[in-house]
Amino acid sequence: MVLGAALLGFFLISLDALIVTVALPDIGRTLGGGMSGLQWVVDGYTLMFAALMLSAGALSDRVGARRAFGGGLVLFALASAACGLAPGLGTLVAARLVQGAAAAVMMPASLALVRQNFPDQAERARAIAIWTVGGAVAVAAGPVLGGALTASVGWRWIFFVNLPAGLLALALLTRVPASPRLPARLDIVGQVTAVLAMGGLTYGVIEGGAQGFGRPVVVASLLVAVASAAAFLAAQARGAHPMLPLPLFRSRVVAVSLLVGFTLNAAYYGGVFVFSLYLQQQRGQSALHAGLMFIPMTALVAVVNLASARLAARFGPRVPMVAGQLVGTAGLVALTTVGAHTEVWAVALLMVPVGLGGALAVPALTAMLLDAVPADRAGTAGAVLNTARQVGGAIAVAVYGALLAGADTFLAGMRWSVLLAAAGLALTAAATLTLPRAGHREAAA
């Protein structure tokens, strides 16, 4: 019961980060709004998910994992219904913000439920491995399911489909034992400044691409982001209970791992966003056909995840990390050759290395990060990594959308987006090569 509820929750969280992407052109035709509005449909969810992730773990401890997960699940289901019923784009974006906040509460609580209810270490390891399947299946199924639902019954059903899964998870949760409530302090100042910094940056980049970066509202937004980031760092350095312990970043392994997580998600989520628009708006594909084009990229993710674990066990995590980033870089460079008349099946095949590269690098990346910190910092390190990855996806959608809107042609903006992603992965691959073979704790301890 515990594992079923937790897995369903993780599935829903991961699914809603991607299922909406293929439906964006249909959403735009129904609700109106230009490129910036569609970017907010994606980033509204990812932004709140990333911004609230760090303090959501402390909230889960304070109220108990079962109660936090249940509350987050109810809020997620209600927000999903509001998304499906949205009469306009503003309502949809607002509901997506609430969805992201609910997902941030559910994520650490779902994993905490697994940890609490599987006291045996070997059983717990197997349970966590099964739990991760929920996210992997959702990542693979998101674009395909989004395309199928949009083409058959309409884009609103990409949100309504969450309701039966959410109800099933709640039914399973009623059979789960109550969780202990643990003392945990919330970093209110850190949380508020983090939301302002991420929100200001995302708004500035999205609206700057649509209206021009010289507009007063865009300049003001970027200044708010800078000031809030400075206030956040000051709060973390001086606060008695910071949600992001800055000493973690003294470790080169930790710092590089977070950068790699950021660039990998930027390449993957940004790529799905850009090529969903390309396939539908430039090549005239239906939402269903566009979703099917992502199957080759996502189909082997689970298999490659297992291969990554074996490579890391044999050669150390640095080898699959570097290999994955280089494979992803090669795939992105190859995608710069895509033009207005490239065969659609060729585009689908060219996207495969991007997915495989991420699947190869992420498990090794996670292992290296956790090996580099003490056991009592593992939960915090994992939350920071998830935050970095989600921020990477949100910033990529904002930046790539701005490039698409600002370029002379869609194809020119697409090529600049892909080149930027490739450059990021190449740089972080080079940084990964400077790390020790098996990772070590350095100053993070």
Side-chain angles (χ1 to χ4, degrees):
M1 296 297 177
V2 170
L3 192 53
L7 187 148
L8 274 173
F10 191 26
F11 176 85
L12 289 173
I13 291 167
S14 303
L15 184 72
D16 271 64
L18 284 173
I19 193 173
V20 71
T21 311
V22 178
L24 290 176
D26 283 71
I27 292 173
R29 284 190 287 270
T30 303
L31 302 182
M35 176 67 73
S36 62
L38 298 181
Q39 287 172 272
W40 276 113
V41 174
V42 178
D43 270 359
Y45 179 85
T46 312
L47 176 65
M48 292 304 290
F49 185 28
L52 299 178
M53 178 77 71
L54 291 173
S55 59
L59 177 66
S60 175
D61 288 341
R62 281 174 67 94
V63 304
R66 180 177 177 270
R67 182 177 297 178
F69 183 74
L73 197 55
V74 169
L75 184 61
F76 189 91
L78 292 174
S80 297
C83 287
L85 297 171
L89 196 61
T91 306
L92 176 58
V93 171
R96 287 285 282 172
L97 290 168
V98 177
Q99 246 193 339
V105 175
M106 290 165 60
M107 181 74 164
S110 68
L111 187 54
L113 281 174
V114 175
R115 286 177 176 173
Q116 291 168 8
N117 288 277
F118 290 87
D120 179 77
Q121 185 176 11
E123 288 185 358
R124 184 167 62 248
R126 287 192 292 272
I128 291 174
I130 295 171
W131 175 80
T132 61
V133 169
V137 171
V139 167
V144 181
L145 183 59
L149 289 172
T150 301
S152 58
V153 290
W155 64 264
R156 295 181 185 277
W157 281 91
I158 66 175
F159 302 110
F160 291 146
V161 75
N162 293 335
L163 301 182
L167 289 173
L168 177 57
L170 281 172
L172 293 173
L173 195 64
T174 61
R175 305 291 300 275
V176 173
S179 301
R181 301 174 67 174
L182 306 173
R185 296 180 180 271
L186 297 176
D187 180 7
I188 302 298
V189 174
Q191 184 59 83
V192 171
T193 52
V195 171
L196 289 174
M198 293 183 196
L201 177 60
T202 305
Y203 182 88
V205 174
I206 289 177
E207 298 304 324
Q211 305 177 31
F213 285 93
R215 301 266 303 196
V217 66
V218 174
V219 174
S221 176
L222 295 175
L223 289 175
V224 167
V226 172
S228 299
F232 172 79
L233 292 175
Q236 301 313 290
R238 300 175 185 175
H241 303 281
M243 65 182 189
L244 179 62
L246 296 183
L248 277 177
F249 295 92
R250 294 174 186 164
S251 166
R252 189 157 45 99
V253 173
V254 172
V256 171
S257 297
L258 296 179
L259 284 174
V260 173
F262 178 97
T263 56
L264 284 169
N265 262 41
Y268 186 85
Y269 284 85
V272 172
F273 171 74
V274 169
F275 282 94
S276 291
L277 295 177
Y278 164 79
L279 289 167
Q280 294 180 74
Q281 294 184 349
Q282 302 298 307
R283 302 305 301 275
Q285 298 290 308
S286 68
L288 175 59
H289 288 156
L292 292 174
M293 289 302 101
F294 290 101
I295 288 180
M297 183 175 74
T298 60
L300 298 176
V301 167
V303 176
V304 177
N305 278 341
L306 294 174
S308 173
R310 290 171 183 160
L311 284 172
R314 183 170 182 180
F315 300 107
R318 192 179 70 166
V319 170
M321 277 179 67
V322 173
Q325 290 174 85
L326 293 179
V327 168
T329 301
L332 289 165
V333 171
L335 283 168
T336 62
T337 64
V338 172
H341 303 291
T342 305
E343 293 288 347
V344 174
W345 62 264
V347 178
L349 291 179
L350 287 173
M351 288 190 289
V352 170
V354 180
L356 295 186
L360 190 60
V362 169
L365 158 69
T366 307
M368 175 174 275
L369 176 68
L370 295 181
D371 286 345
V373 300
D376 61 351
R377 293 284 183 90
T380 299
V384 173
L385 175 60
N386 278 320
T387 299
R389 293 181 62 193
Q390 295 302 322
V391 170
I395 296 301
V397 170
V399 171
Y400 299 170
L403 290 172
L404 293 175
D408 292 335
T409 64
F410 183 96
L411 288 176
M414 184 177 77
R415 290 192 181 103
W416 279 113
S417 300
V418 172
L419 280 174
L420 183 60
L425 280 182
L427 289 173
T428 52
T432 306
L433 285 171
T434 68
L435 298 180
R437 287 184 179 274
H440 65 289
R441 291 191 175 180
E442 292 180 342

